[in-house]
Structures are given as structure tokens and as C-alpha cells.
Amino acid sequence: MTVKAFAAQSANGPLEPMPITRRAPSATDVQIEILYCGVCHSDLHQARDEWHNFAPTNYPCVPGHEIVGRVSKVGTQVTKFKIGDLAAVGCMVDSCRTCPNCTQGLEQYCKDFPTFTYNSKDVHSGSHTLGGYSEQIVVDEAFTLQVPANLDLAACAPLLCAGITTWSPLKHWKVGPGQKVGVIGLGGLGHMGVKFARALGAHVVLFTTSPGKIEDGKRLGAHEVVVSTNPEELGAHRGSFDFILDCVSAQHDVNAYLALLKLDGTLCMVGAPEKPLPVIAFSLLMPRKNFSGSGIGGIAETQEMLEFCALHQITCDIELIPIQKINEAYSRLIKGDVKYRFVIDMATLKKS
Ligand code: NAP
Ligand code: ZN
Ligand code: ZN
């Protein structure tokens, strides 16, 4: 089946309309008409081949891994969905399903690497996977999520990456009452990190380079907001944090934040800047500290996060855009000019 999509043809070119092919659903596949797709900074990194040394981009590149939509077809053995149901897809569409990591529900850490929603080898097409900036997607039901009925659909879409990517480390490091937790960078990931850390009961401090985001930081759940460009403001928090979640997309000095951890505190990277971040050994030695990282989250954990959101009425703060404005949205993302996630109204793709 041929469907409309938006694709980057090169690292330097804009995203433009392009027809793509979707497979006919197999017995365990669901076909989803995409209604909304969030715009993650990873989409931009990948479209522009900024992760060249780690995950070089295959062109044409159709980004998009924060997908919500309505089931338009189901395979003969599908049990979780029927036509007309809401459904969601995040960053992965498959994995080996048998390795020790997969069998523990950590498909994102599959030993063979999961099949990501875009830019991964696609066993079905023989080419590479194409993501959610498209009219329809076909995904095995095992990698398809159920969407709570009580949440705004467009504001739900970024939960599929920004949500789970911040939820997973907060749960893994058992963030909760009595802990002081920092979130660095108020973008798509950061604003969900603030919401979740607050909902889990921690004392939450947001670090931002943008003084204009102070009020929003508090509205979103931070107890305190620190403008990180001011060394005195940072210094006041020295040695006091249990956990810090680093959600920054560009170069920054992690040593300045490692200094804020207390004994055995952890700084976890979820941001994935293009270039390496130098860490001074002494930042980790005195006192003993952990510098860590976390990648998205497993399928069961993503469903659990969606259910937590339904219970606590948590969604993302979004700006809905037509797909024709995607290149402008990328330029604004680089400037930190988004409150706090762009979501594409996929109905606009029909006009391209
Ligand atoms: P985003 O919406 O663009 O937010 C990034 C935020 O970082 C900005 O809003 C800004 O916050 C801060 N920032 C930007 N440039 C900065 C600089 N030069 N110095 C200091 N702070 C800066 O991006 P996102 O979609 O949340 O993604 C964030 C990063 O996480 C990206 O690198 C993305 O690829 C990565 N990511 C990783 C995973 C994973 O599995 N680990 C999943 C999804 C995304 P302030 O204005 O508040 O300073
Ligand atoms: Zn993402
Ligand atoms: Zn596996």
C-alpha cells in the first residue's frame, strides 16, 4: 500500500513530501491510521545525520516515533485490538524477543538491538524502517500500545518517547518522597521529567538556561528553578542531590552538575548530544558518585507509564502544527523555542 509521508533525502536538505510503501498486515500486525505524531529532538538528530558515528542515517529518512492513531486493519491472529480502537507506537517496532534483556521486558536493550521505528533494518521490506510522519504504519501488535481513553490524544503522543524516556530512569532509580531530584533542560523530555518526578513525590529542581521558562517550570511541577548560566545559583545546591536527569540535546558541562550530587548520587544522561561530553575523573571520585545513562523503555513499562498518566491526568504540553511547518519546527527546536513539544496534526498530510 502506498501512503503519503514526509522524508529527509539528505543531512542538509529539508523534509519534503514523499510517497512510501507499507506492507499488508500479517497475521499478528495492526495497521494504524496515524492521527498525531510528536516531534522529538532525536528526529532532528537522525534526519540531519548528527549521530553519524553511532547510528548513521539511511535516506530517505521518515522520522517520527511518538505515534497515536486509530486501528484501520488487523491481522487474523491479533487479539489486543479491533478496527477503530485507539493505538500507539513508540520508538521500537520489534526486537529478537528471546534474549535475556527482551525476556525481562527490556526490549530497548535487546542484545541484537531492537528494530527502531525509523532508521533500523526492516526485515519485511529489506530496506530500513520508516517512521510516523506518515499516514499509516503497520506494526506487530506486541509492539503496539493501548491508549487510555480519558487523555487528550494529541497531548498523549509525546508520552511514547519523551514520556517513557523520563519515566524509565525515574522508576529504575526509585525516585520518590524524601529525595531531591534535578531535571536539566526544559524541553520535550525535561518537562515530562519534571511532571513525573513531582508526581512520584520527590522534591524537584529544574535547571534551565532560559530565564523565560522559570514560571513554566514551577507550573509544570518544579519546587525550585535554577538558571544554570548563573554559577552562584548552581553552587548553592552543591552536594545535595540524590538523582539528576540530564535531558539536554547539545553540548554542556556535566561536571557542573556532577558537583551537585551527594555521596552515591546518580546523574543519568537521557539527552544524546552529537559530540562527546568530557567528564573529569575527580567529578566522580570525591565523594563517590554515579554517572549513568538510560534509553527509552520497554513495552510493558510503556503501558504502565500510560496507565499512570491516565490515573494522574498527566499529558504533555504541546503546540499542534501542520506537517507543512515541520522544517520551521526543527529550526525552533534548536533554539529551545518550544512549549514543550511540537505535535503534528497528521490530518494535514492529506493536503500535501
Ligand atoms: P528539546 O525539546 O529540544 O529539549 C532540549 C532542551 O535542552 C532545551 O529545551 C534546552 O532547555 C536545553 N538545551 C538546548 N541546548 C542547550 C545548550 N546548548 N546548553 C544547555 N541546555 C541546552 O529536546 P528533547 O526532544 O527533549 O530531547 C533531548 C535530548 O534527548 C536529545 O538529544 C534527544 O535526542 C535525546 N533523547 C534521548 C532518548 C533516550 O532514549 N535516551 C529518547 C529521546 C530523546 P532549557 O531552555 O531549559 O535550557
Ligand atoms: Zn524520541
Ligand atoms: Zn532481544
Side-chain angles (χ1 to χ4, degrees):
M1 172 195 23
T2 302
V3 303
K4 290 181 174 182
F6 258 60
Q9 303 291 347
S10 71
N12 309 317
L15 274 77
E16 289 171 334
M18 182 192 160
I20 61 166
T21 304
R22 294 295 189 195
R23 67 178 183 264
S26 72
T28 56
D29 280 340
V30 280
Q31 181 177 317
I32 301 165
E33 181 198 357
I34 303 175
L35 300 175
Y36 299 103
C37 185
V39 178
C40 180
H41 206 114
S42 301
D43 299 351
L44 186 161
H45 288 307
Q46 194 76 69
R48 298 190 175 175
D49 203 16
E50 290 177 355
W51 292 334
H52 186 79
N53 295 328
F54 175 67
T57 304
N58 299 299
Y59 293 100
C61 171
V62 177
H65 58 205
E66 295 182 336
I67 298 166
V68 294
R70 212 167 267 293
V71 173
S72 50
K73 275 188 197 162
V74 289
T76 50
Q77 288 168 24
V78 167
T79 57
K80 259 165 57 180
F81 298 94
K82 56 182 190 323
I83 292 174
D85 283 352
L86 295 173
V89 179
C91 303
M92 300 177 285
V93 290
D94 211 343
S95 72
C96 88
R97 308 189 199 192
T98 56
C99 78
N101 298 354
C102 282
T103 51
Q104 281 184 72
L106 297 170
E107 301 90 349
Q108 76 274 33
Y109 305 130
C110 175
K111 288 190 145 186
D112 291 343
F113 237 66
T115 306
F116 290 114
T117 305
Y118 56 83
N119 204 54
S120 274
K121 188 172 165 41
D122 184 352
V123 290
H124 301 279
S125 71
S127 180
H128 57 274
T129 52
L130 301 169
Y133 299 1
S134 58
E135 285 178 303
Q136 308 260 346
I137 192 165
V138 178
V139 181
D140 192 294
E141 69 165 337
F143 282 76
T144 308
L145 287 309
Q146 276 155 328
V147 182
N150 65 334
L151 298 179
D152 178 77
L153 262 196
C156 213
L159 295 174
L160 277 300
C161 175
I164 185 60
T165 301
T166 49
W167 172 261
S168 183
L170 292 172
K171 291 296 278 186
H172 179 76
W173 275 278
K174 302 188 169 48
V175 159
Q179 291 186 3
K180 184 170 170 184
V181 171
V183 176
I184 316 174
L186 195 64
L189 265 57
H191 94 291
M192 292 315 299
V194 167
K195 288 189 188 199
F196 285 146
R198 177 68 185 247
L200 291 168
H203 180 85
V204 184
V205 181
L206 167 70
F207 297 97
T208 178
T209 57
S210 312
K213 294 181 184 172
I214 294 174
E215 285 314 310
D216 274 350
K218 291 186 178 156
R219 175 179 61 79
L220 294 165
H223 296 93
E224 300 176 62
V225 179
V226 172
V227 177
S228 52
T229 46
N230 180 347
E232 278 171 24
E233 274 196 58
L234 275 188
H237 291 271
R238 204 176 166 81
S240 66
F241 280 89
D242 296 280
F243 184 78
I244 299 178
L245 192 63
D246 187 331
C247 305
V248 177
S249 54
Q251 292 318 105
H252 60 292
D253 180 16
V254 284
N255 300 284
Y257 296 99
L258 289 167
L260 308 187
L261 293 174
K262 65 187 194 189
L263 174 64
D264 288 330
T266 296
L267 188 148
C268 175
M269 289 300 308
V270 283
E274 180 180 4
K275 299 202 179 78
L277 301 173
V279 175
I280 300 165
F282 281 102
S283 300
L284 299 169
L285 305 181
M286 298 298 276
R288 182 176 57 205
K289 290 167 188 174
N290 304 300
F291 183 42
S292 185
S294 182
I296 50 176
I299 294 297
E301 192 182 26
T302 304
Q303 194 65 59
E304 174 195 296
M305 178 268 316
L306 288 167
E307 275 147 31
F308 181 89
C309 289
L311 196 63
H312 295 265
Q313 289 290 308
I314 294 175
T315 51
C316 308
D317 285 36
I318 65 160
E319 179 178 336
L320 202 59
I321 58 163
I323 196 150
Q324 292 76 11
K325 290 221 164 142
I326 188 64
N327 295 299
E328 192 184 307
Y330 277 18
S331 305
R332 287 180 54 195
L333 208 54
I334 290 170
K335 292 188 220 140
D337 175 23
V338 53
K339 293 186 173 175
Y340 281 92
R341 192 59 134 193
F342 293 117
V343 172
I344 307 167
D345 177 355
M346 295 306 299
T348 59
L349 183 55
K350 293 193 172 41
K351 296 184 202 134
S352 284

